[in-house]
Amino acid sequence: MIRCLFITLLSIICLTTTCGQSTRGTICEVFNYTVEGPESRDNPIAEIRKLWPCFVDDVCSRHDVPGLREILTRVSFHNTDSEFPNDVDALIQQWNQHNRIMEMLGVTLFTLEVPHKMDSTIFVGELLYPDDYKGFKRREVRIPGLELKSSNYQRFVETHFLLILYLLAMELQHDDGKDAVALAKDRPLIVALLSEAYFRIPTDDKEADKSMQDLYSLVRDAAKKEEPTHENQR
Amino acid sequence: MNVSLIRTVILGLLFTALPLSAFCEDEDMGIMVPSFEGELGENVGTVLWLKVWRSLRDPLRHGAPSAAMWFTDEVFRGDQSFEDVENDVARNAVAVVLWGNTIAFGDGVLAQPRLCIIPNKVRRNGGENPVTWQVVVSTQLTTLRLEVTIPQTRYQLPPIMLDNSLLSHYPNVHLVPVYRRRYNGPPAGEPIGKLGSSFRNVQNDGDYSEVIYDDDAGNGHMGWVYFPELKGDIPIVDYVIGIIRLLRCDYQAAIDMLSRSAASADNTSAPLKIDSLLMEALATAKLKRDPGVQLELAEKLNPYLQSTAKFKIVYLISKIQAGPTKNKQASLSALESEIAATSYIFPLGDPWLETAKQMLYAMRQ
């Protein structure tokens, strides 16, 4: 009886602690922005939500890669009130509400001046990591030219695209060969995402944050990695 | 001699000589620029409509498609999908749609334009496909064909800023003010009339066009229309015009516009810049000239783009076919290097790249 109870208890603990290690099948994403200055009558999340499908069409029209639309449309948008909760219980609650993966991308919107400006520092990170995760973690990235000029929500959308690139990088880092996930192995998809990111966030700019350069190197190397031949597959 | 009689005769001759019509629906290729959704959206749509309209030219060669501007009171919603818009125009000859929405922000307004191109809807007399660059290599067993075409058909274009007080004078095409003469800058005098429902373009001069238009009584007049610049509209309008000219086989005129679009697009519109360069390269190849410079520039802007790699491979094959025999070996090596260097961009076993490899092999024999 005690043994049965012990096993049941152990199973519950195991199930609870391994939830963060599950394969990333869904990307749920939280966009977190802070307004500094008077309240803006804009609703960035609503605007981004409207713009995103057109952005996906734009990107997919340029690349004939079947998996691309699938990965881009996995993104969903959740509006949160300015500050993200620091309380662990609250984080876990949000984690459960938003399925398995939660990303956050924070920017600051300065509304003291018109047109409003967006801070070029964005915060990208995974809220909860699997225990064995050794890849990219929370980063603050300065991206030159990412200022929001007037209601340019296209730039907001591009920051979300950057988020997807980060997810890809995380997958690549996490991929130890045993637990390979489809996203990190889909070479045309990697190249298409890299290509799109290359359009939008210049790498040759000296002001670009080193973490951006690292990200590009990682993805570029993965894209150029030699395909396994039939010989070495055997 | 009676001055008014001479004027009437001249106007009559001009009406006969200029075949382009603004609202004709029976054309080979339609271009639709509806009102934008949102604040000042009608005005933005009107200005963009006029800017595209004034660029239309007579077909230069036999069989080239004619073009007509379509006007519609129906507004495509800003968040309407590309598919919806393409379905809406599926039953008519419209091959290019430029639409979008505007967003009020602070004291200003920002327009977010979108563009879809449907090249297969252009009716053509004759076999030439103006947006396809094809190379053919024949072997003893088969004929290999490789082609590149317009790299993208759905665009979310860079935003346009609206800070022009003149925009309020452009609620729709019929109400556009006509002035007695052109000015150096925005119009300083009072308008002499409105464009109305029947008008034709005589000549373009800077930000003005000279037009012939009918008044309410049907009497013809001449005057000047001013086209206010919207901040950020230049690369967009130039690209749209360049594509229209390309679809109409008007290659040199397309090159002029596409090179302007590539030069004026800034870093925030890099995709437009690269596509302008690729389309310019295609038009240059149609004229049997060397498009190598445009392709190098496009590759420099983004080395990971499959469409640029395809264009470059087709270019190198055409160069081998057109070049003197003594340079053939070097050109073949260049093609081989290009295929090897860019193969990682393509999926494993990609049919297009496999055909390119077969062509290389066949040309080596």
Side-chain angles (χ1 to χ4, degrees), chain A residues 1 8 11 23 49 54 85-86 96 103 105 122 146 168 208 224 234:
Chain A
M1 177 69 179
T8 310
S11 303
T23 307
R49 204 178 278 138
C54 289
N86 286 322
N96 290 329
E103 290 287 330
L105 186 150
I122 64 163
L146 204 66
L168 176 69
K224 285 192 172 176
R234 277 201 295 270

Side-chain angles (χ1 to χ4, degrees), chain A residues 166-185:
Chain A
Y166 251 91
L167 278 167
L168 176 69
M170 287 177 184
E171 298 281 12
L172 290 168
Q173 288 277 20
H174 187 53
D175 183 7
D176 61 359
K178 293 175 194 167
D179 185 25
V181 285
L183 175 64
K185 290 290 180 191

Side-chain angles (χ1 to χ4, degrees), chain A residues 42 58 62 116 151 195 220, chain B residues 105 152 156 274 302 304:
Chain A
D42 277 20
D58 176 293
R62 193 162 33 246
H116 301 346
S151 255
S195 165
R220 190 167 47 232
Chain B
F105 190 88
Q152 188 178 350
Q156 191 180 40
I274 291 175
N302 187 348
Y304 307 110

Side-chain angles (χ1 to χ4, degrees), chain A residues 41-42 50-51 54-55 57-58 61-63 114 116 150-152 154 187-188 191 195 198-199 220 223-224, chain B residues 82 103 105-107 110 112 114 152-157 159 270-271 274 301-305 344 346-347:
Chain A
R41 62 185 160 120
D42 277 20
K50 277 201 288 186
L51 282 172
C54 289
F55 175 79
D57 268 352
D58 176 293
S61 170
R62 193 162 33 246
H63 303 276
V114 176
H116 301 346
S150 190
S151 255
N152 188 353
Q154 203 167 328
R187 197 172 60 152
V191 177
S195 165
Y198 204 81
F199 272 139
R220 190 167 47 232
K224 285 192 172 176
Chain B
F82 285 94
I103 307 160
F105 190 88
D107 295 332
L110 179 135
Q112 175 64 66
R114 296 190 181 83
Q152 188 178 350
T153 53
R154 293 170 170 180
Y155 288 88
Q156 191 180 40
L157 294 163
I274 291 175
L301 282 167
N302 187 348
Y304 307 110
L305 200 58
Y344 79 96
F346 295 84

